[in-house]
C-alpha cells in the first residue's frame, strides 16, 4: 500500500536504544539544556504514538543490544512498538550483538516486539535468563567488630538481612524465588509468543546461551543474519523511496497542523502529571549538586498546584521509587488524599513503586503497574550499627556526658539496652499498623487480607494485580487514558507536567508554599535525611525506614 502523501516525505524512522532512556525528563532550566542530547523515555513513547496515525511514517528500524533497560521500561517500549506494527507499519530490529560477553535478555525482549529481528554475523544472543543476587555482610561485620541492631516488620522485609544474616533466610529465599519466577515467566511466555516457539524450546535455548548468530538463526530467535547496511537496504527495497529520520528528530519537529491544533483547542482542560522519582525524603529534592530524590516539599507543592489549577481535570502520579522516609511518605500520602477530594487521581508505577513508593500510591482512584514493576514491600525496618568493639580494637576510647534518657540512643558508639530495643519495637509496630491500616482503607481490604500480602514482601506488578494491591496492568499511556475517562475528557486531551511554568517564571522566588513555583525549588543545604544527624556515621541504609528491600534482578 502506497502511503505517500503529496508534498510530504515518506519517513523511515530509526530508534537507537543502545543508550539507556532517562525518565522523567529533566525540569525546565539549565538541566534541560545540558541534558538535551539524553534520550527520554516519555519523548520516545509519545513519538511512537504520533507515528501510528502519521501517514507520512511508513516504517521503523530499531537498534538494540546496548545496556539493558529495566524490565518495566522494556515492556512500555514493546507496547509502543506493537501499536506501530498493528497500524500496518513494518518494524525491524537489529543489533551488532545482544549482550556481547554479558546479558542480553531484556534488550532482546524489546527487539522481539518487531516484525523481523536481525543480528550481525559476529554477534551473539546472550539470552541468559533471569537471576537475583544478594550480598551478605554479617561475617565481615563480625570480624570488624561492628554490631548491627536492626529490626523489621516482618519476615519479608529483608533490607536489613544484608547486615544481619550470612545468607538467605527461608522467607528471603521464598520471596526472591517468587520474584525471579514471575519475571522469568513473563519473559519466556512473551518471547515464545513473539517467536512462535514452545516454552520448552525457549527454555532450552536459554540453557544453551549465549548463542552464536548462526545458532540463534537456526533456533528461530532471529530472522536474518546481516550487517547494518544490509538491513537498511532490505527495508528500503521493501518500502521504496523513503527519507531516513531519527525518532528523536521526528519527536522534536511536530507537523504544523499539530501545533496549530494545540493552540486553538477549545477545551483547555488537561491531565496533570506529577513525578515521584528516587528516594522519598523530607524537604526538597536536592541535597547537593547532582542529587536526585523525591522531596516531600516539592511533591506536595506539585499536588497542591494540580488541585488548584482549573485546567487540570485529573492527575497522574508517576511513581518510580523504592521508598524512603516514613514521615515524608505520609506527607505525600496526605496531599494525594486531599487532591482526590477535588479531582481523579491515577497512579502509574514505573520500574519500582515499593515500600514508601507504594505508600504514596495506595490512595489513588486507580493504580496501574507494568507486569515487571516491583511493588508492595508493605513493611518497615529500623535500628543502628554499633562500632564499640571496632573502636576498642583500634585503641580508640569513648565516653559521654548526657542529659536525658535517650540522648545517646542513636549513637553508633553505645549499644541499645533493653529499654532502647523496646522503644525501637514500639516504633516499628506503630508504623506498620499505620501503613497496613491505610492500605486496608484505600484498597477496601480487611486487616487479615492486607497482612497476608504485606509483611515487607515485594511483588511484581503482574502478581500485585492478583493480590489486590494494583488495579490493572499498563504504562503511562494507559494511566493517562484512565485519567481522561474518569474526568470525562476527550481522548486527545494533553498530558502536562505540573506545575507548567515558563522557564523565566520558574526562576522567581515563590510568594508562599502554595505558589506553584514552590514545586520547583531545590535545596543546596546539607540534609539529615530520614534517620537524623548521625545517619552517615551509623551507616544506616540511606533511604530510610520505608525503603524497599529490592534485590536486583539480572537478565
Amino acid at each position: 500500500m502506497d502511503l505517500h502523501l503529496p508534498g510530504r516525505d515518506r519517513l523511515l524512522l530509526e530508534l537507537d536504544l543502545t543508550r539507556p532512556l532517562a525518565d522523567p525528563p529533566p525540569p525546565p532550566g539549565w538541566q534541560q539544556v545540558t541534558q538535551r542530547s539524553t534520550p527520554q523515555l516519555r519523548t520516545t513513547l509519545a513519538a511512537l504514538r504520533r507515528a501510528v496515525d502519521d501517514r507520512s511514517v511508513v516504517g521503523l528500524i530499531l537498534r538494540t543490544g546496548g545496556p539493558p533497560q529495566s524490565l518495566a521500561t522494556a515492556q512500555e517500549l514493546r507496547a509502543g512498538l506493537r501499536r506501530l506494527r498493528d497500524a500496518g507499519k513494518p518494524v525491524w530490529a537489529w543489533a551488532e550483538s545482544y549482550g556481547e560477553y554479558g546479558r542480553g535478555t531484556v534488550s532482546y525482549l524489546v527487539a522481539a516486539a518487531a516484525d523481523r529481528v536481525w543480528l550481525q554475523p559476529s554477534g551473539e544472543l546472550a539470552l541468559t535468563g533471569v537471576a537475583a543476587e544478594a550480598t551478605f555482610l554479617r561475617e565481615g561485620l563480625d570480624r570488624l567488630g561492628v554490631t548491627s541492631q536492626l529490626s523489621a516488620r516482618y519476615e519479608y522485609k529483608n533490607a536489613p538481612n544484608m547486615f544481619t544474616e550470612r545468607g538467605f533466610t527461608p522467607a528471603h529465599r521464598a520471596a526472591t524465588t517468587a520474584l525471579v519466577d514471575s519475571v522469568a515467566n513473563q519473559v519466556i511466555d512473551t518471547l515464545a509468543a513473539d517467536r512462535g516457539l514452545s516454552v520448552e524450546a525457549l527454555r532450552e535455548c536459554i540453557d544453551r546461551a549465549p548463542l552464536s548468530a548462526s545458532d540463534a538463526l537456526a533456533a528461530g530467535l532471529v530472522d536474518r543474519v546481516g550487517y547494518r547496511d544490509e538491513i537498511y537496504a532490505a527495508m528500503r527495497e521493501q518500502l521504496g523511496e523513503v527519507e531516513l529520520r531519527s525518532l528523536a528528530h521526528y519527536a522534536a519537529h511536530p507537523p504544523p497542523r499539530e501545533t496549530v491544533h494545540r493552540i486553538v483547542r477549545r477545551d483547555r482542560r488537561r491531565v496533570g502529571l506529577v513525578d515521584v522519582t528516587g528516594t522519598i525524603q523530607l524537604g526538597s529534592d536536592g541535597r547537593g549538586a547532582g542529587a536526585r530524590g523525591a522531596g516531600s516539599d516539592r511533591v506536595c507543592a506539585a499536588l497542591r498546584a494540580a488541585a488548584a489549577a482549573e485546567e487540570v481535570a485529573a492527575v497522574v502520579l508517576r511513581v518510580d521509587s523504592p521508598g524512603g522516609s516514613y514521615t515524608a511518605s505520609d506527607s505525600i500520602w496526605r496531599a494525594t488524599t486531599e487532591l482526590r477530594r477535588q479531582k481523579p487521581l491515577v497512579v502509574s508505577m514505573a520500574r519500582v513503586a515499593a515500600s514508601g513508593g507504594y505508600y504514596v500510591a495506595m490512595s489513588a482512584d486507580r493504580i496501574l503497574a507494568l507486569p515487571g514493576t516491583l511493588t508492595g514491600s508493605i513493611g518497615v525496618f529500623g535500628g543502628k550499627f554499633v562500632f564499640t568493639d571496632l573502636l576498642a580494637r583500634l585503641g580508640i576510647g569513648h565516653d559521654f556526658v548526657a542529659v536525658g534518657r535517650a540522648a545517646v540512643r542513636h549513637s553508633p558508639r553505645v549499644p541499645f539496652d533493653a529499654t532502647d530495643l523496646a522503644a525501637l519495637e514500639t516504633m516499628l509496630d506503630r508504623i506498620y499498623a499505620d501503613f497496613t491500616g491505610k492500605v486496608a482503607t484505600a484498597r477496601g481490604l480487611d486487616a487479615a487480607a492486607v497482612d497476608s500480602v504485606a509483611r515487607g514482601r515485594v511483588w511484581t506488578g503482574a502478581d500485585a494485580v492478583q493480590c489486590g494491591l494494583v488495579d490493572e496492568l499498563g504504562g503511562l499511556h494507559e494511566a493517562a487514558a484512565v485519567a481522561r475517562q474518569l474526568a470525562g475528557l476527550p481522548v486527545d486531551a494533553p498530558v502536562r507536567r505540573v506545575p507548567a511554568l515558563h522557564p523565566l517564571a520558574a526562576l522567581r522566588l515563590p510568594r508562599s508554599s502554595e505558589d506553584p513555583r514552590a514545586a520547583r525549588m531545590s535545596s543546596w543545604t546539607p540534609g539529615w535525611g530520614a534517620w537524623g544527624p548521625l545517619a552517615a556515621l551509623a551507616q544506616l541504609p540511606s533511604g530510610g525506614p520505608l525503603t524497599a528491600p529490592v534485590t536486583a534482578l539480572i537478565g
Side-chain angles (χ1 to χ4, degrees), residues 4-30:
H4 178 66
L5 297 179
R8 295 191 63 185
D9 296 317
R10 301 177 74 245
L11 301 179
L12 171 61
L13 300 179
E14 53 179 358
L15 172 57
D16 189 341
L17 293 180
T18 57
R19 296 173 60 193
L21 299 177
D23 187 47
W30 181 245

Side-chain angles (χ1 to χ4, degrees), residues 147-164:
T147 302
S148 57
Q149 293 187 307
L150 302 172
S151 186
R153 296 294 181 275
Y154 278 100
E155 67 272 20
Y156 295 110
K157 192 72 173 181
N158 47 58
N161 290 7
M162 177 180 183
F163 310 102
T164 61

Side-chain angles (χ1 to χ4, degrees), residues 112-396:
D115 297 284
R116 296 185 188 177
V117 180
W118 288 57
L119 178 58
Q120 189 165 296
S122 56
E124 62 181 25
L125 176 52
L127 190 61
T128 53
V130 180
E133 295 181 342
T135 300
F136 299 96
L137 304 177
R138 173 65 183 275
E139 186 71 28
L141 293 176
D142 286 348
R143 293 180 182 181
L144 289 172
V146 177
T147 302
S148 57
Q149 293 187 307
L150 302 172
S151 186
R153 296 294 181 275
Y154 278 100
E155 67 272 20
Y156 295 110
K157 192 72 173 181
N158 47 58
N161 290 7
M162 177 180 183
F163 310 102
T164 61
E165 305 294 336
R166 293 179 171 82
F168 282 120
T169 64
H172 193 172
R173 182 176 293 279
T176 304
T177 299
L179 282 177
V180 172
D181 285 346
S182 179
V183 170
N185 288 337
Q186 291 176 41
V187 170
I188 291 171
D189 291 347
T190 299
L191 291 179
D194 284 342
R195 303 303 305 173
L197 301 172
S198 68
V199 168
E200 293 74 18
L202 196 61
R203 288 184 180 273
E204 192 271 334
C205 290
I206 291 174
D207 290 338
R208 290 196 293 123
L211 303 175
S212 67
S214 58
D215 287 343
L217 179 65
L221 295 174
V222 300
D223 300 291
R224 291 281 298 274
V225 172
Y227 292 93
R228 178 194 180 280
D229 60 292
E230 293 177 299
I231 182 175
Y232 276 72
M235 179 66 95
R236 286 188 168 102
E237 183 179 353
Q238 175 173 317
L239 295 178
E241 184 178 351
V242 293
E243 178 181 337
L244 192 63
R245 188 79 54 86
S246 76
L247 193 73
H249 187 278
Y250 174 78
H253 296 82
R257 59 177 175 79
E258 194 171 295
T259 304
V260 171
H261 174 71
R262 185 166 60 247
I263 295 174
V264 303
R265 287 183 80 248
R266 293 182 179 179
D267 191 343
R268 309 304 296 176
R269 296 179 301 161
R270 60 176 181 262
V271 175
L273 178 62
V274 176
D275 285 295
V276 179
T277 304
T279 301
I280 298 172
Q281 58 197 27
L282 287 169
S284 63
D285 290 353
R287 296 297 185 188
R292 292 291 300 273
S296 57
D297 284 358
R298 193 269 305 167
V299 177
C300 290
L303 290 169
R304 288 194 297 269
E310 293 183 2
E311 66 275 15
V312 175
V315 175
V316 171
L317 188 70
R318 175 76 163 184
V319 182
D320 192 359
S321 171
S325 163
Y326 163 61
T327 309
S329 300
D330 194 49
S331 295
I332 297 172
W333 167 84
R334 176 64 180 182
T336 64
T337 59
E338 290 300 298
L339 172 67
R340 274 196 65 201
R341 299 178 193 274
Q342 303 176 57
K343 50 192 68 173
L345 174 66
V346 177
V347 162
S348 169
M349 293 180 169
R351 294 169 296 183
V352 56
S355 203
Y358 188 81
Y359 196 113
V360 304
M362 61 186 168
S363 290
D365 292 285
R366 203 79 59 82
I367 299 175
L368 283 76
L370 280 306
T373 297
L374 298 181
T375 187
S377 191
I378 301 167
V380 59
F381 73 98
K384 68 177 182 178
F385 295 95
V386 182
F387 300 95
T388 306
D389 291 345
L390 174 61
L391 295 175
R393 293 177 186 181
L394 296 175
I396 299 174

Side-chain angles (χ1 to χ4, degrees), residues 455-517:
R455 308 185 73 82
R457 184 160 184 169
V458 179
W459 306 90
T460 63
D463 290 341
V465 172
Q466 303 301 318
C467 295
L469 297 178
V470 168
D471 294 298
E472 57 186 279
L473 297 176
L476 183 57
H477 174 69
E478 289 75 19
V482 171
R484 293 187 188 100
Q485 182 182 26
L486 293 177
L489 293 173
V491 295
D492 63 344
V495 178
R496 297 286 183 268
R497 294 178 76 180
V498 177
L501 297 175
H502 188 277
L504 293 179
L507 295 176
R508 302 193 192 105
L509 290 174
R511 292 185 299 271
S512 71
S513 61
E514 295 187 353
D515 187 326
R517 282 178 290 226

Side-chain angles (χ1 to χ4, degrees), residues 432-455:
Y432 185 76
D434 184 44
F435 196 169
T436 54
K438 285 173 177 171
V439 172
T441 300
R443 302 300 301 169
L445 301 170
D446 60 37
V450 172
D451 190 58
S452 68
V453 298
R455 308 185 73 82

